[in-house]
Amino acid sequence: MELAPASFTERLAFQSEQGKLELDGSRVLIVNASAFGTLRRDLISVLGPQRAKAFLLRYGFECGYNDAVAVRRRYRHSSPRAWGEQAALMHTYEGGARVRIERREFDWTRRRYVVHGVWENSYEAQEHIRLMGISPDTSCWTLIGYAGGYLSAVMGERVLYKELTCVARGDAECRFVGKTVNLWGPDAEAELAYYTESKIVEELD
């Protein structure tokens, strides 16, 4: 299953009379990146960076998981590996970033997954710099969540991504690593804590 730009546009269904846009049968929205940057800035301002990160990680995870389900529904006869490899292409063609995979180990039978790569032209890093300048921390939170959500759906196991370097932190590139939880060891606990649901009223209190 290979996804080219032309085939991606063919997977989009414009239903102008109903005010809907669907990708692989699931409703999607076209959102201005600068507007999302403003939302991100306001979340950080109100909640602080760590709580805002948790919200955006969970948002990204839901987006990635739902995209994976939609892709599988359309290409139900494809192999798990081909299904998983669509994650990087969906990231790219939905406008989040260009994904450059440097190393990937995929063992669906044993539920083991490892990937190393780079996000080029991350919209999140660009918006963070535009609105808040250089950050002391990595900032591509929805991209991390999206990738983890997508591959968790594929593997049937929780997959966690971490950003190692980030342009928004002043680094040369946004470099990431993703692994199934069983391969993270003790580091998984701290990352999983971000995905624990909490009510926004409780966060504000």
Side-chain angles (χ1 to χ4, degrees):
M1 178 179 62
E2 182 64 25
L3 177 61
S7 65
F8 182 79
T9 58
E10 290 168 1
R11 292 162 62 184
L12 288 169
F14 296 93
Q15 301 178 22
S16 56
E17 293 182 358
Q18 299 179 44
K20 293 171 62 178
L21 172 63
E22 292 185 350
L23 173 63
D24 291 333
S26 293
R27 188 170 185 175
V28 295
L29 305 173
I30 297 176
V31 179
N32 188 284
S34 62
F36 185 87
T38 300
L39 173 63
R40 173 194 173 88
R41 179 197 62 193
D42 290 350
L43 282 172
I44 293 172
S45 176
V46 172
L47 301 176
Q50 294 306 305
R51 289 187 174 93
K53 176 180 179 178
F55 274 103
L56 293 174
L57 280 172
R58 293 197 296 270
Y59 165 78
F61 186 95
E62 189 73 11
C63 291
Y65 194 96
N66 289 338
D67 274 358
V69 170
V71 169
R72 188 57 162 177
R73 184 168 56 238
R74 181 179 178 114
Y75 298 99
R76 57 187 178 277
H77 300 303
S78 65
S79 69
R81 176 180 291 276
W83 180 23
E85 288 173 352
Q86 294 301 297
L89 294 169
M90 294 291 283
H91 248 340
T92 298
Y93 292 128
E94 289 182 351
R98 181 181 183 275
V99 185
R100 188 173 82 243
I101 301 297
E102 297 183 336
R103 181 167 71 89
R104 178 160 43 202
E105 300 172 17
F106 187 100
D107 188 339
W108 188 76
T109 302
R110 298 170 62 197
R111 299 296 194 269
R112 292 168 62 89
Y113 180 81
V114 179
V115 64
H116 294 260
V118 175
W119 286 311
E120 298 176 352
N121 295 316
S122 161
Y123 85 100
E124 247 179 318
Q126 291 176 355
E127 285 301 310
H128 190 97
I129 293 171
R130 182 178 72 87
L131 293 170
M132 287 169 280
I134 296 298
S135 167
D137 301 308
T138 59
S139 299
C140 296
W141 303 329
T142 65
L143 297 184
I144 292 171
Y146 182 99
Y150 192 106
L151 268 302
S152 293
V154 172
M155 299 303 298
E157 297 282 345
R158 177 58 71 96
V159 176
L160 289 175
Y161 276 66
K162 290 178 67 174
E163 192 175 18
L164 306 178
T165 64
C166 184
V167 171
R169 196 175 65 179
D171 299 316
E173 56 191 6
C174 297
R175 181 170 293 277
F176 64 84
V177 58
K179 297 186 242 180
T180 39
V181 167
N182 61 321
L183 298 179
W184 274 111
D187 291 340
E189 186 174 350
E191 292 300 310
L192 286 171
Y194 285 112
Y195 294 88
T196 303
E197 279 195 48
S198 56
K199 296 178 181 178
I200 193 166
V201 172
E202 293 173 355
E203 295 285 4
L204 291 172
D205 286 343

